[in-house]
Amino acid sequence: MKTMLKVQWYYLIDKTAAAFIGLFAVFVFVAIFTASEASLGMAALDVDRIRRAFVYRSSGVLAVRLSASVLAIFLGLHGWSKTQRRAGVYFIAQRKDVFRFAAAKAIAAAFILVVFVLASALFYGLVGGYLTPYFTLVATDARLFADILAEALFFLALQGLVTTTFDGVFAGIPAFVLFWILESAAPVSPEVGIDVLFLVVRHARLDETGIATLGDPRVQALVLVALFSALIVVFAKKDMN
């Protein structure tokens, strides 16, 4: 498995992927720094602390959520494309190796998202804690970033499954549409039909009253496990050639 992980890391982080990851990282860092308004100085930021803290949290969460989810969709498209599948024939000697290869690919891609979200969270905490007088890192922040990671992993598995099954130029459309629906729809009540999506997808939200993320984390965790299991099985059974 160690060798398989090294192989997946090499193929996932090529020049194209590295450029996309770097672009998303720069976007997140600029968005967080801009949201902090640190350039105004400590004295100016000492006014209206509650409002500034809320704007910083909500803007930071939005920037990281957007970047992590789009990065996840990109990795699902890039890592599970037909070209990437063909590379597997050089590292698979027997049938059981196919499942190890598929599992290693999912683990490597998930690891990239974990590192990306953790790095974003660290920068968010450092900027808010050291460059502003209004921000203090609390448990709510950890919960929000955990929700962001859960959503990104959902889109990674979903996109990987769609790409493996229907590889093509339009394979990314369903995931992007779903993300747009989650982002634009307001989860106001369980009776609204669209809210069923929030029961299975962990979509981090913050409003004036606190965290507004809906759904049962246990159900959402089961959905993630089911998606990754399906991804590994479908990819392993797909023709590598």
Side-chain angles (χ1 to χ4, degrees):
M1 179 61 79
K2 185 177 180 181
T3 301
M4 292 290 190
L5 285 171
K6 288 182 178 179
V7 169
Q8 297 301 344
W9 186 260
Y10 174 80
Y11 277 97
L12 278 172
I13 308 298
D14 57 12
K15 291 181 179 180
T16 301
F20 268 91
I21 293 171
L23 182 64
F24 288 132
V26 169
F27 170 76
V28 167
F29 294 166
V30 171
I32 288 175
F33 183 79
T34 302
S36 73
E37 299 181 297
S39 59
L40 296 178
M42 287 289 192
L45 296 179
D46 202 32
V47 180
D48 200 8
R49 287 190 173 197
I50 295 177
R51 183 192 65 81
R52 291 184 186 278
F54 173 73
V55 170
Y56 179 65
R57 276 193 169 88
S58 57
S59 299
V61 166
L62 174 61
V64 179
R65 181 174 68 232
L66 175 63
S67 298
S69 294
V70 175
L71 176 59
I73 295 172
F74 165 76
L75 289 174
L77 283 166
H78 177 69
W80 278 266
S81 65
K82 187 177 293 185
T83 302
Q84 292 278 347
R85 279 204 304 274
R86 287 173 179 168
V89 300
Y90 300 105
F91 306 97
I92 296 172
Q94 47 190 327
R95 186 61 191 170
K96 64 181 181 180
D97 289 339
V98 180
F99 285 91
R100 284 203 291 263
F101 186 85
K105 182 180 290 291
I107 292 171
F111 180 75
I112 293 172
L113 290 177
V114 170
V115 171
F116 181 85
V117 173
L118 285 178
S120 300
L122 178 61
F123 187 76
Y124 166 87
L126 289 175
V127 170
Y130 288 97
L131 299 183
T132 77
Y134 57 73
F135 178 83
T136 301
L137 201 64
V138 296
T140 298
D141 298 297
R143 161 78 180 278
L144 286 168
F145 279 93
D147 289 350
I148 289 171
L149 178 58
E151 183 175 10
L153 290 173
F154 172 87
F155 279 109
L156 171 66
L158 176 65
Q159 186 57 60
L161 192 57
V162 172
T163 303
T164 302
T165 308
F166 308 104
D167 196 4
V169 294
F170 301 111
I173 292 178
F176 278 114
V177 169
L178 178 57
F179 179 78
W180 177 81
I181 291 173
L182 288 167
E183 192 62 39
S184 59
V188 291
S189 71
E191 290 75 30
V192 179
I194 200 68
D195 283 355
V196 69
L197 292 175
F198 293 95
L199 300 179
V200 297
V201 185
R202 198 73 187 160
H203 189 69
R205 283 183 175 271
L206 182 70
D207 61 23
E208 290 80 357
T209 63
I211 293 178
T213 306
L214 297 181
D216 188 334
R218 293 168 296 184
V219 173
Q220 292 157 344
L222 286 174
V223 170
L224 271 180
V225 171
L227 272 177
F228 273 101
S229 298
L231 173 59
I232 291 171
V233 171
V234 172
F235 183 86
K237 291 185 177 297
K238 198 78 171 180
D239 183 7
M240 289 293 176
N241 295 309

